Each structure stands twice: as C-alpha cells, then as structure tokens.
C-alpha cells in the first residue's frame, strides 16, 4: 500500500486547492500503475488518529514536526525524506547554511540570535544588508507577513521586533537582489532530473502574497537553461530533496542566486507532468 499525506491548510495559504490537486494527481498515477493507495490528511496522521495498514511507501507533503517524527518511527521509504523537510521547512537559517556550504549562490544574509542584542540602526554590518527581506519560519504554519521587504534600518528593526514578539525565533534577513525572478520546479531520481520546468512570475503576473511588486522591474533576461538544470541538481543534493521548487534571481550578468526553496510545491501549471514524474519514483 502507498500512503499519501496531504499538507495541513495552515502551511498552504492561498494554495490549499493546488496543493491538494498535485497530491491527488500523483495518487491517481500510482493507482493507474496498479498500486493500492490510501490518502490521509496531515492533522489526522500527526495526531495518530490514522491506524491503517503499514505502508510500503509514503508520499508526504506534511511539514509538522509530529508528522516528521511519526514518519521516522514508521520507517517506510518516504518522499520527500524527513531530513529533507527538516532542512527546508523548519529553518530558513539551516536552508541557507546548507546551500551556502555546498557552493550554491545565495544572497548575503544574517540570522537572528535571541542571545545577541543586535539592531540594524546600531550595526553598520547589518545596514549593508538593506534593502533586504526579513524572512521567518513558523512551526505551525505560513503567513503572508513571513516574508517582508524592508528598506531602512528602522523598518528592519520593526519587522524583527514584531516577529519576535509573536514568538518566532527562526528569522533571517537576506539582501535584496536585482534581476528577474524565476520559479523552478524539479523532481530527481538517483541524482537525475526526471522533471524540470521554470517560468517568470513577473512576466506572467503571477503572485502568491504580492511580494513580487517589490522586485526589480522585469527585464526579460534569458537564463542558461543547462546551468539552471545543474543548479537544480545542486539544490537537490544540498538539501536531500527529490520533489521541490526554488526561486532564483537572474542578474543582468547571467548569475543566478537562490533566494527560496520549497519542499514539494504545487507545481503551478505543470501539475499533470509533475505528478507522473513523482509517481514514477515508486
């Protein structure tokens, strides 16, 4: 039996239907290949209210820590692996550290430390990150304010203070990068890309929370597609991801910088093709 775990709505703001659809499409592809399929929602699974038969394989979009712990206890092969989800969905700081340590270009960044009293208005090194983006990761869901564009030291300090007052401690500031934004989607099998697509949200007026309006004007830079494919494989290796998406800023000089990574995205308009590639991982 193949178990599919849907993502709790708290981690899919403005994307609940799309996330549900990519999971359902993948499950359908598995059924068409002759596999028995069972689908459970993450909240039920994490609360140990699902008592079905032990799965031979798991496809999970879950991000809650109890979900990951239970999956580790079950021991069945899982996509994405729990360590990959921990690398990308539980800590922005860890994601940046892993990308950077594997030679993948990322913006200059700073991570908030509760024990250190640092303020942008008082620290010249922090001010060099501005304009930039204050980004946080919450253990219980995603909110529109989790990514906030800031230009001045006062704006940056205010954003940090607000998020810390909410109890958020996984917080980074990344320097704003000029260039065109690309959204990339990929599936890998044995270190080979079995699915790869990308598009420009600025060109196609696509937005999730409206943050794209803070990006540089769209210039229509043409990416080196082979370099982008190589970058996708590098991200996969660095974070142990097999089903993933990531955002890239493409500069006028052709340099690509990774600004965000998403474990198991909804795959936008590429869902049908992506679902077949994901199901083929069985």
């Amino acid at each position: 039996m193949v178990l599919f775990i849907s993502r709790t709505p708290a981690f899919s703001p403005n994307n609940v239907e799309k996330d549900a659809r990519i999971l359902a499409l993948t499950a359908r592809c598995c059924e068409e290949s002759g596999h028995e399929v069972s689908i459970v929602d993450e909240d039920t699974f994490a609360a140990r209210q699902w008592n079905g038969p032990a799965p031979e394989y798991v496809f999970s979009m879950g991000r809650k820590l109890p979900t990951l712990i239970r999956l580790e206890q079950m021991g069945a092969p899982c996509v994405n692996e729990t360590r990959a989800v921990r690398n990308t969905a539980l800590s922005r700081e860890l994601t940046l550290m892993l990308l950077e340590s594997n030679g993948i270009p990322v913006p200059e960044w700073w991570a908030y430390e509760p024990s250190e009293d640092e303020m942008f208005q008082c620290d010249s090194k922090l001010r060099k990150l501005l304009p930039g983006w204050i980004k946080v990761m919450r253990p219980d869901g995603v909110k529109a304010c989790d990514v906030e564009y800031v230009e001045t030291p006062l704006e940056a300090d205010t954003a940090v203070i607000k998020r810390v007052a909410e109890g958020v401690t996984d917080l980074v500031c990344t320097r704003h990068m000029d260039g065109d934004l690309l959204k990339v989607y990929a599936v890998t099998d044995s270190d080979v890309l079995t699915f790869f697509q990308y598009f420009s949200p600025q060109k196609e007026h696509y937005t999730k929370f409206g943050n794209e309006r803070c990006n540089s004007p769209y210039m229509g830079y043409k990416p080196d597609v082979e370099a982008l494919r190589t970058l996708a494989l590098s991200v996969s290796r660095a974070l142990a991801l097999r089903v993933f998406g990531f955002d890239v800023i493409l500069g006028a000089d052709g340099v690509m910088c990774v600004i965000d990574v998403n474990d198991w995205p909804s795959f936008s308009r590429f869902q049908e093709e992506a679902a077949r590639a994901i199901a083929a991982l069985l």
Side-chain angles (χ1 to χ4, degrees):
M1 185 270 289
V2 181
L3 178 63
F4 284 79
I5 303 173
S6 64
R7 181 170 292 158
T8 188
F11 284 97
S12 296
N14 296 346
N15 242 24
V16 173
E17 292 182 0
K18 289 182 179 179
D19 280 353
R21 186 170 186 267
I22 183 62
L23 193 79
L25 287 171
T26 306
R28 188 183 71 186
C29 289
C30 288
E31 287 179 321
E32 291 173 350
S33 298
H35 296 282
E36 180 186 352
V37 167
S38 180
I39 302 177
V40 62
D41 67 88
E42 180 176 8
D43 292 329
T44 297
F45 180 82
R48 297 181 178 271
Q49 295 173 348
W50 178 81
N51 296 304
E56 299 173 7
Y57 204 91
V58 180
F59 286 105
S60 174
M61 295 183 77
R63 287 179 176 171
K64 284 185 171 183
L65 186 56
T67 302
L68 303 182
I69 292 173
R70 188 177 184 196
L71 283 171
E72 290 167 354
Q73 293 171 340
M74 290 177 69
C78 183
V79 172
N80 285 302
E81 294 180 25
T82 55
R83 68 183 177 111
V85 180
R86 288 175 181 271
N87 289 343
T88 54
L90 299 185
S91 172
R92 292 188 183 273
E93 180 180 2
L94 178 59
T95 301
L96 287 167
M97 288 176 60
L98 289 171
L99 292 173
E100 196 169 48
S101 65
N102 281 273
I104 296 170
V106 297
E108 294 180 76
W109 60 283
W110 161 83
Y112 168 78
E113 294 292 342
S115 61
E116 298 180 10
D117 186 19
E118 295 180 289
M119 296 190 70
F120 286 80
Q121 295 174 86
C122 304
D123 193 323
S124 59
K125 290 187 293 184
L126 290 184
R127 288 198 296 273
K128 290 180 180 179
L129 294 176
L130 304 177
W133 298 83
I134 301 296
K135 301 181 178 183
V136 305
M137 194 72 78
R138 303 171 190 267
D140 56 352
V142 176
K143 297 182 179 180
C145 62
D146 289 352
V147 177
E148 184 174 351
Y149 178 72
V150 291
E151 292 186 318
T152 69
L154 178 58
E155 289 176 344
D157 286 334
T158 300
V160 170
I161 291 170
K162 284 181 178 179
R163 300 292 84 83
V164 172
E166 295 170 1
V168 179
T169 56
D170 187 84
L171 183 155
V172 300
C173 178
T174 61
R175 182 171 176 77
H176 176 77
M177 305 294 293
D178 288 327
D180 286 350
L181 174 64
L182 299 176
K183 298 190 80 67
V184 185
Y185 303 103
V187 177
T188 65
D189 188 6
S190 300
D191 205 33
V192 174
L193 282 172
T194 57
F195 173 86
F196 171 83
Q197 290 286 357
Y198 70 94
F199 78 101
S200 168
Q202 293 166 292
K203 180 181 179 181
E204 302 187 20
H205 307 290
Y206 167 90
T207 185
K208 185 175 181 180
F209 292 125
N211 289 323
E212 287 79 4
R213 68 180 182 276
C214 301
N215 291 335
S216 308
Y218 175 67
M219 300 300 292
Y221 302 136
K222 302 298 183 184
D224 180 331
V225 178
E226 282 307 309
L228 193 56
R229 292 175 64 91
T230 298
L231 182 60
L233 282 173
S234 296
V235 171
S236 173
R237 297 182 193 116
L239 301 175
L241 287 166
R242 299 177 70 187
V243 179
F244 62 102
F246 60 100
D247 292 353
V248 167
I249 295 296
L250 173 62
D253 56 1
V255 174
M256 293 178 286
C257 186
V258 176
I259 61 170
D260 193 27
V261 181
N262 184 5
D263 63 294
W264 200 321
S266 60
F267 285 92
S268 190
R269 87 282 311 270
F270 311 114
Q271 288 190 324
E272 297 276 354
E273 183 183 354
R276 290 192 292 271
I278 299 168
L281 294 175
L282 271 173

